[in-house]
Amino acid sequence: MKNIKTAGIFILLLMGTGTAFSQSRKTESANGVEQSDNNKSVKVEGVGHKLNYTLNGGIVEVNGADNKVMIKGSAKQISISGTGNKVYIDKVDKVILEGGDNTVFYKTAGTKTGKPDTSATGVENKVIKQ
Protein backbone atom coordinates (compact mmCIF):
# COMPACT_ATOMS: atom_id res chain seq x y z
CA MET A 1 0.00 0.00 0.00
CA LYS A 2 2.87 2.36 0.83
CA ASN A 3 4.44 1.75 -2.60
CA ILE A 4 1.15 2.53 -4.31
CA LYS A 5 0.89 5.85 -2.45
CA THR A 6 4.49 6.74 -3.30
CA ALA A 7 3.97 5.86 -6.96
CA GLY A 8 0.78 7.95 -7.05
CA ILE A 9 2.54 10.97 -5.55
CA PHE A 10 5.42 10.55 -8.00
CA ILE A 11 3.12 10.45 -11.04
CA LEU A 12 1.16 13.51 -9.92
CA LEU A 13 4.33 15.48 -9.29
CA LEU A 14 5.83 14.59 -12.65
CA MET A 15 2.64 15.53 -14.48
CA GLY A 16 2.43 18.88 -12.72
CA THR A 17 6.09 19.90 -12.94
CA GLY A 18 6.91 18.64 -16.43
CA THR A 19 5.11 21.37 -18.32
CA ALA A 20 6.24 24.19 -16.04
CA PHE A 21 9.93 23.38 -16.35
CA SER A 22 9.88 22.49 -20.04
CA GLN A 23 8.72 26.01 -20.89
CA SER A 24 11.62 27.66 -19.05
CA ARG A 25 14.47 25.64 -20.57
CA LYS A 26 17.17 27.35 -22.58
CA THR A 27 18.71 24.10 -23.79
CA GLU A 28 17.76 20.51 -23.35
CA SER A 29 19.83 17.43 -24.03
CA ALA A 30 18.54 14.08 -25.21
CA ASN A 31 18.87 12.89 -21.60
CA GLY A 32 16.69 15.67 -20.20
CA VAL A 33 19.58 17.25 -18.28
CA GLU A 34 21.01 20.74 -18.38
CA GLN A 35 23.20 23.25 -16.64
CA SER A 36 22.51 26.81 -17.67
CA ASP A 37 22.81 30.51 -16.83
CA ASN A 38 26.62 30.66 -16.65
CA ASN A 39 26.85 27.88 -14.07
CA LYS A 40 24.29 29.61 -11.82
CA SER A 41 21.64 26.90 -12.08
CA VAL A 42 21.54 23.16 -12.46
CA LYS A 43 18.40 21.46 -13.74
CA VAL A 44 18.05 17.70 -13.90
CA GLU A 45 14.96 16.05 -15.30
CA GLY A 46 14.46 12.37 -15.96
CA VAL A 47 15.22 8.98 -14.46
CA GLY A 48 18.46 7.37 -13.31
CA HIS A 49 20.99 10.13 -14.10
CA LYS A 50 24.37 10.18 -12.29
CA LEU A 51 25.82 13.66 -12.69
CA ASN A 52 28.56 15.91 -11.29
CA TYR A 53 28.49 19.71 -11.30
CA THR A 54 30.30 22.71 -9.85
CA LEU A 55 28.12 25.54 -8.59
CA ASN A 56 28.80 28.80 -6.77
CA GLY A 57 25.67 30.09 -5.04
CA GLY A 58 23.13 29.09 -7.67
CA ILE A 59 19.92 27.07 -7.70
CA VAL A 60 19.49 23.32 -8.15
CA GLU A 61 16.28 21.71 -9.47
CA VAL A 62 15.90 17.94 -9.71
CA ASN A 63 12.71 16.42 -11.13
CA GLY A 64 12.21 12.72 -11.72
CA ALA A 65 13.28 9.50 -10.09
CA ASP A 66 16.46 7.78 -8.92
CA ASN A 67 18.81 10.59 -9.95
CA LYS A 68 22.16 11.00 -8.18
CA VAL A 69 23.59 14.53 -8.40
CA MET A 70 26.94 15.50 -6.85
CA ILE A 71 27.68 19.22 -6.58
CA LYS A 72 30.99 20.78 -5.58
CA GLY A 73 30.42 24.23 -4.16
CA SER A 74 27.31 25.92 -2.83
CA ALA A 75 23.65 26.50 -3.66
CA LYS A 76 21.19 29.06 -2.38
CA GLN A 77 18.38 26.54 -2.88
CA ILE A 78 17.85 22.92 -3.83
CA SER A 79 14.39 21.83 -5.01
CA ILE A 80 13.67 18.15 -5.51
CA SER A 81 10.42 16.76 -6.88
CA GLY A 82 9.89 13.07 -7.50
CA THR A 83 11.10 9.92 -5.78
CA GLY A 84 14.39 8.28 -4.86
CA ASN A 85 16.60 11.25 -5.80
CA LYS A 86 19.88 11.93 -3.97
CA VAL A 87 21.81 15.20 -4.02
CA TYR A 88 25.26 15.60 -2.44
CA ILE A 89 26.49 19.17 -1.91
CA ASP A 90 29.15 21.03 0.05
CA LYS A 91 26.97 23.95 1.21
CA VAL A 92 23.27 24.79 0.90
CA ASP A 93 20.97 27.44 2.42
CA LYS A 94 17.49 26.13 1.63
CA VAL A 95 16.06 22.71 0.69
CA ILE A 96 12.58 22.02 -0.71
CA LEU A 97 11.55 18.36 -1.02
CA GLU A 98 8.36 17.05 -2.62
CA GLY A 99 7.53 13.43 -3.31
CA GLY A 100 9.03 10.42 -1.58
CA ASP A 101 12.37 9.00 -0.47
CA ASN A 102 14.45 11.99 -1.62
CA THR A 103 17.65 12.82 0.27
CA VAL A 104 19.98 15.82 0.37
CA PHE A 105 23.41 15.24 1.93
CA TYR A 106 25.24 18.47 2.87
CA LYS A 107 28.47 19.41 4.66
CA THR A 108 27.61 22.95 5.82
CA ALA A 109 24.78 25.46 5.60
CA GLY A 110 24.84 29.21 5.17
CA THR A 111 22.32 29.82 7.96
CA LYS A 112 22.80 30.93 11.56
CA THR A 113 21.67 27.52 12.84
CA GLY A 114 24.13 25.61 10.67
CA LYS A 115 21.23 23.65 9.14
CA PRO A 116 19.54 24.55 5.86
CA ASP A 117 15.99 25.91 5.96
CA THR A 118 13.93 22.88 4.99
CA SER A 119 10.45 22.29 3.60
CA ALA A 120 9.44 18.66 3.05
CA THR A 121 6.17 17.42 1.59
CA GLY A 122 5.66 13.71 1.06
CA VAL A 123 7.05 10.58 2.68
CA GLU A 124 10.56 9.64 3.81
CA ASN A 125 12.29 12.81 2.56
CA LYS A 126 15.53 13.60 4.42
CA VAL A 127 18.17 16.31 4.78
CA ILE A 128 21.32 14.83 6.33
CA LYS A 129 24.57 16.46 7.42
CA GLN A 130 27.64 14.46 6.37
Side-chain angles (χ1 to χ4, degrees), residues 19-65:
T19 55
F21 288 109
S22 65
Q23 294 172 354
S24 65
R25 295 207 175 279
K26 291 185 179 179
T27 60
E28 187 170 339
S29 74
N31 296 328
V33 178
E34 77 173 29
Q35 181 174 3
S36 61
D37 300 330
N38 296 324
N39 298 330
K40 288 292 182 185
S41 70
V42 172
K43 297 179 183 178
V44 177
E45 189 173 277
V47 177
H49 298 296
K50 294 181 182 178
L51 304 162
N52 296 301
Y53 293 104
T54 300
L55 193 63
N56 186 17
I59 296 173
V60 178
E61 296 177 15
V62 178
N63 298 294

Side-chain angles (χ1 to χ4, degrees), residues 50 69 87 91 93 106 109 113:
K50 294 181 182 178
V69 181
V87 175
K91 181 179 177 184
D93 296 340
Y106 71 98
T113 64

Side-chain angles (χ1 to χ4, degrees), residues 10 14 46-49 62-68 81-85 102:
F10 172 68
L14 284 180
V47 177
H49 298 296
V62 178
N63 298 294
D66 299 321
N67 294 300
K68 182 178 178 182
S81 180
T83 186
N85 296 293
N102 296 302

Side-chain angles (χ1 to χ4, degrees), residues 92-110:
V92 61
D93 296 340
K94 184 174 184 176
V95 177
I96 301 169
L97 301 168
E98 297 177 349
D101 197 28
N102 296 302
T103 308
V104 173
F105 297 94
Y106 71 98
K107 293 179 182 175
T108 63

